[in-house]
Amino acid sequence: MEHTVVRCAAGHVFSTASFPMQNLGRLGPGRLVRCPRCARLRSAVPVARSGR
């Protein structure tokens, strides 16, 4: 299972194993996930990977 690095609406960056429907372009990049830092259900978007 691949982990996706995301940023929640409060600015916390974390990885999640379940980022549902991330390939559906019509819904946009944001999803509701539970942030482990603030323990709330927040909107989160994938973090752009650097080209290392």
Side-chain angles (χ1 to χ4, degrees):
M1 187 178 310
E2 187 174 329
H3 287 279
T4 304
V5 178
V6 296
R7 179 183 323 259
C8 81
H12 302 131
V13 177
F14 57 95
S15 68
T16 180
S18 60
F19 199 65
M21 299 183 296
Q22 64 186 2
N23 293 329
L24 244 64
R26 66 182 174 87
L27 294 177
R31 300 289 175 268
L32 287 176
V33 294
R34 185 159 310 274
C35 176
R37 299 265 323 269
C38 56
R40 292 186 176 197
L41 195 60
R42 300 228 187 231
S43 175
V45 294
V47 174
R49 292 185 175 208
S50 62
R52 290 185 220 174

